[in-house]
Amino acid sequence: VGGPAIRNMATVGGNLFAPAPYGDFTVALLALDASVAAEAGEMPIETFLAGRDTSRAVVTAVSFSLPKAESFRFLKVSRVKPKGVSVLSIAAHLQFATDGTVTSARIALGCMADRPIRAKAAEEALLGCKLTSEEIAPALAAAAEGISPITDPIASAWYRAEVLPVHLGRLLLG
Ligand SMILES: Cc1cc2nc3c(=O)[nH]c(=O)nc-3n(C[C@H](O)[C@H](O)[C@H](O)COP(=O)(O)OP(=O)(O)OC[C@H]3O[C@@H](n4cnc5c(N)ncnc54)[C@H](O)[C@@H]3O)c2cc1C
């Protein structure tokens, strides 16, 4: 979720505050439904992110349940590897029934707003689907719902919105 310098020097606490296009690690934490602890107590990461602009709290811990093998997927799309700034990032925590249908989906997106957000319409559309290109098509179509991608020197908002379903599809099928 980051180039060598970031993995070596950066902190998780700082990552929670990184504005888009930075902060890929927080995208992964959002998909994992992490809890963020500060002096005032613990809260879901989604609540924390919504209030982070006015937060004066010092984050002391971030925790989450380890996902089952194969249930967690992460993709960072950048033009320069491994240290490039994100065009976008996607994290997905998926659970499956024994026949392979999705029973629970939590998908987080980076660069699709000023901070990591969930793709709630896509999450809903995935329920009951098997991960085939036909069955995930409605989820890919729904992925753009509620997004407000950023424009920066890496990519325009239009471009990011155009390629989001392509990369989400690759993540789900890959
Ligand atoms: C060139 C560049 C490339 C980057 N690449 C990536 C990348 O590939 N992937 C990625 O995920 N991120 C990336 N980032 C974003 C960022 O550097 C990292 O996310 C990093 O984790 C930030 O950590 P830091 O400790 O340096 O935070 P700082 O930059 O020191 O802090 C950021 C903010 O968070 C506040 N803060 C820090 N710790 C806490 C705490 N415990 N409690 C409360 N507030 C706190 C600081 O006061 C500050 O306001 C990149 C940034 C840059 C500039």
Side-chain angles (χ1 to χ4, degrees):
V1 295
I6 292 296
R7 294 201 302 266
N8 190 37
M9 296 296 293
T11 67
V12 175
N15 200 286
L16 290 172
F17 290 88
Y22 306 120
D24 307 303
F25 190 60
T26 298
V27 176
L29 292 172
L30 180 58
L32 290 168
D33 197 15
S35 280
V36 177
E39 302 101 317
E42 211 167 305
M43 66 182 92
I45 188 165
E46 216 166 346
T47 313
F48 175 84
L49 288 172
R52 77 174 182 183
D53 292 348
T54 51
S55 168
R56 303 293 302 158
V58 174
V59 174
T60 52
V62 177
S63 55
F64 56 88
S65 302
L66 279 181
K68 282 188 193 152
E70 304 298 320
S71 72
F72 181 73
R73 299 164 187 214
F74 180 84
L75 176 68
K76 169 171 171 159
V77 179
S78 61
R79 298 182 196 273
V80 181
K81 296 184 188 342
K83 58 181 171 33
V85 175
S86 287
V87 172
L88 59 90
S89 53
I90 311 173
H93 186 203
L94 307 171
Q95 291 178 62
F96 302 93
T98 43
D99 68 351
T101 54
V102 176
T103 54
S104 136
R106 203 175 150 98
I107 300 171
L109 307 173
C111 298
M112 293 298 148
D114 67 342
R115 67 201 68 196
I117 56 168
R118 278 175 66 192
K120 291 189 178 171
E123 290 173 357
E124 256 176 54
L126 266 186
L127 296 179
C129 295
K130 288 190 176 153
L131 296 186
T132 63
S133 38
E134 294 73 28
E135 293 200 25
I136 66 167
L140 302 190
E145 221 171 276
I147 63 168
S148 176
I150 60 161
T151 288
D152 65 2
I154 303 293
S156 65
W158 174 84
Y159 180 80
R160 285 185 160 106
E162 286 293 308
V163 297
L164 170 62
V166 177
H167 290 294
L168 180 57
R170 287 180 191 164
L171 183 81
L172 294 173
L173 297 174

